[in-house]
Every structure is written in structure tokens, then in C-alpha cells.
Amino acid sequence: MSSMNRKKRIGLALLFSILLIVVVGCGSQEDAQPKSDKLTVVTTFYPMYDFTKNVAGDNADVTLLLEAGTDTHGYEPSAKEVAAISEADVFIYNSEEMEVWVSSVLESIDTENTVVVNASEGISLLESTEEHSEHEAAGDDHEVDPHIWLDPILAKEEVNNIKAGLIAADQENEETYETNATAYTEKLETLNQEFETAFKGATKRTFVTQHAAFAYLANRYDLEQVSIAGISTEEEPSPAKLAELQDYVKENDIKYIYYAETSSSKIAETLANETDAELEVLNPIEGITTEDQEKGIDYIQLMKNNLAALEKSIQ
């Protein structure tokens, strides 16, 4: 071996040794840093995030996977997001019927280190009444309706499931989680009573909406949801279905057609234009912008907005 090559190899070995010392040294410094006592909690979409924040209070760093405007039904997590789930103390989702990707992700999660919370645990889901389109036949078929959070009473059950998950991960703060959950479920009960009072004695109990997300709400308060499309935000009605709905709206003197701001209102606009009805927002609360959150708008406020909107139809 030449003297030059020997010197080069010695030089490289010395360089790697220096790098190793630097990396180990940095790691030691990082290890020396005090770790946060807060739980790390990953939630899927907005209602799960809001419910969890209300129960966890200051005891957890809660993050949200799906930002506002993301199609909840068609979402697939990135590798980075899957890594965030696997590194979290707690992972909270609504149901495998809503977040259809969860079952495959859970196969790679070590449940010894991450508490997994199915917020719909113990809740009976309603069967879907939608007519299946070609789009759904390709794999977005909903046999049951996953929008349980739009019923304040079922939202209370989800909150209690979330509370149990947080306690399982952090028993030291059990009392705080119990107290926070009780306070929040009392707010949900007040919300429920507002809906009950508003619709008590109503003789006109039907509403027409583009997105079939409100079956649980309708079921809770003895209302009838008539949907233009199905549960999937991407589904569109056939021309025959749209013509049938036009006749229905005219014959039943329907004054308002509801749509969600987070999805296209094209079909609702078409139906409204053909029947001289007005457009009104009915929010499935699948996402909320950071700007609205900063204004103090949350799940309960959006549900109150929905109540005010529905009162225009339910009389």
C-alpha cells in the first residue's frame, strides 16, 4: 500500500471518529434535556381534535392530521404522518368506517407504546341509505354512516371514550381528565337541550342537504334528512335522481337547500336554481380553518350555527 493511500485511509478514519464523537456528544446533550411531561396525542380530524383538547387541557400536546379542506373520506396518511402516529403516546380516531385507512396503519403500530382510541367504541352505527354510484363501487362504499359526532349525545360517548384512552396513557392525571370530560359533556348536554327545544312541536321536519352527513342528528331529533348525494362528498346524483328531487322540493314547499362550505356546492346550486329555493350552509364539521379556530369557533359553535340554519326549514 502506498504512503499516500495509507495517509488517506488514516485521514478518513480520523474524520469518521470525529463525526462519531460529535453525534454521540449531541445525543448526550439531547438526552440531558428535560423531557416534557405532557402526553403526545395525534388525532385524525377536527371533532376528534376538539374533543381531545377539551378533555386533555394542558396535560397533552394534541395534533391534528387532517387540515381544513382535506377530503376526510379519501384521505391517506403520508409516511411522515404514520411515523407521527407510531411515536405518539395516544392515537385517537373516529371509526374505521370514517378513517378507512386506520386498520392498515394500526398493523405497524406498537400498541404497547401507543394507546389507540376508537372514539366510536360501543356506539351502534346507522346503516347507510345511500344509493351506490360507480364511484363508490370502485372502493369508497359506505355500508354504515360514520358521522356520529353530529349527534350531541353520541358526541358525549365519544368524549368519554377519549377520556378513558387518556387515562390509560396517563393515570397520574386521571382526576383532571375526569373533571374536564364532565365539564365538556355538560356543555354537550346543553347543546342537546337547545336542539330539543328548537324542534319540539315542529310540524315541518324535513330538510334537504347535498351531503348525507346528518342522519344521526335527524334520528336524534325526529327529523327527516333528504340528501341530494350520498355520504361521500365526491358522489353526484344521476339526472333521474336530480329530477326526482326537483319534484320533491316543489311538492313539499322546501325553501332551503343545504350544502357544506368545504365541498363543491354545484349540485345544490343546480337544485336550488331549478326550484327557486335558497342555499344555506349545513356544516358536517369535518374540518375547520386555523383562522376560525383562532376566532374561537369550535365544534359547539358550529353545531349552534347548524341549529340556526336548520330552524329555517324545521318549523
Side-chain angles (χ1 to χ4, degrees), residues 131-312:
E131 297 176 10
H132 303 307
S133 65
E134 292 180 4
H135 167 73
E136 291 178 308
D140 193 24
D141 183 19
H142 288 277
E143 293 183 359
V144 296
D145 185 339
H147 299 86
I148 55 180
W149 63 91
L150 292 168
D151 173 346
I153 298 299
L154 296 184
K156 287 168 61 176
E157 293 189 38
E158 292 205 289
V159 166
N160 285 324
N161 284 335
I162 290 168
K163 174 194 70 177
L166 294 177
I167 291 172
D170 181 21
Q171 293 184 0
E172 288 185 6
N173 289 301
E174 177 176 359
E175 185 176 346
T176 299
Y177 299 138
E178 290 280 5
T179 300
N180 290 348
T182 297
Y184 191 62
T185 54
E186 286 175 357
K187 292 181 180 180
L188 292 173
E189 178 54 38
T190 299
L191 178 67
N192 168 59
Q193 291 172 8
E194 290 178 19
F195 271 85
E196 287 185 342
T197 300
F199 301 142
K200 186 177 181 180
T203 56
K204 193 173 183 179
R205 310 186 73 89
T206 300
F207 63 99
V208 176
T209 178
Q210 176 168 310
H211 182 29
F214 302 93
Y216 291 94
L217 186 150
N219 188 59
R220 175 66 59 189
Y221 303 110
D222 193 25
L223 308 179
E224 181 182 359
Q225 170 187 248
V226 175
S227 63
I228 301 171
I231 289 174
S232 170
T233 53
E234 296 180 11
E235 188 191 1
E236 294 188 2
S238 66
K241 175 73 179 293
L242 195 55
E244 179 185 327
L245 283 167
Q246 289 174 10
D247 291 340
Y248 180 89
V249 169
K250 291 174 182 177
E251 291 169 4
N252 290 276
D253 195 29
I254 301 294
K255 301 296 185 183
Y256 293 91
I257 307 297
Y258 296 97
Y259 73 100
E261 285 181 312
T262 53
S263 58
S264 172
S265 62
K266 180 179 65 175
I267 303 301
E269 288 175 5
T270 299
L271 183 57
N273 290 336
E274 293 293 332
T275 58
D276 294 325
E278 294 183 44
L279 285 175
E280 182 61 75
V281 172
L282 199 59
N283 197 330
I285 319 183
E286 294 178 15
I288 178 173
T289 64
T290 302
E291 182 182 0
D292 280 346
Q293 290 181 57
E294 290 172 351
K295 292 178 181 177
I297 298 172
D298 57 10
Y299 167 85
I300 288 179
Q301 182 58 57
L302 290 173
M303 285 294 285
K304 289 183 176 182
N305 293 350
N306 282 344
L307 173 58
L310 281 171
E311 284 184 295
K312 295 180 178 181

Side-chain angles (χ1 to χ4, degrees), residues 84-156:
I85 293 171
S86 66
E87 292 168 5
D89 296 312
V90 186
F91 171 55
I92 298 170
Y93 66 101
N94 179 73
S95 67
E96 291 182 12
E97 286 74 23
M98 185 68 184
E99 300 97 318
V100 294
W101 48 270
V102 162
S103 57
S104 59
V105 169
L106 291 183
E107 293 175 2
S108 62
I109 302 300
D110 182 358
T111 54
E112 292 288 327
N113 296 322
T114 302
V115 174
V116 176
V117 179
N118 175 354
S120 67
E121 187 73 34
I123 297 174
S124 297
L125 303 186
L126 296 175
E127 290 186 11
S128 170
T129 57
E130 67 183 62
E131 297 176 10
H132 303 307
S133 65
E134 292 180 4
H135 167 73
E136 291 178 308
D140 193 24
D141 183 19
H142 288 277
E143 293 183 359
V144 296
D145 185 339
H147 299 86
I148 55 180
W149 63 91
L150 292 168
D151 173 346
I153 298 299
L154 296 184
K156 287 168 61 176

Side-chain angles (χ1 to χ4, degrees), residues 52-71:
T52 302
K53 288 281 286 184
N54 276 280
V55 177
D58 296 328
N59 291 324
D61 290 320
V62 184
T63 57
L64 175 67
L65 285 181
L66 281 78
E67 298 297 335
T70 305
D71 180 9

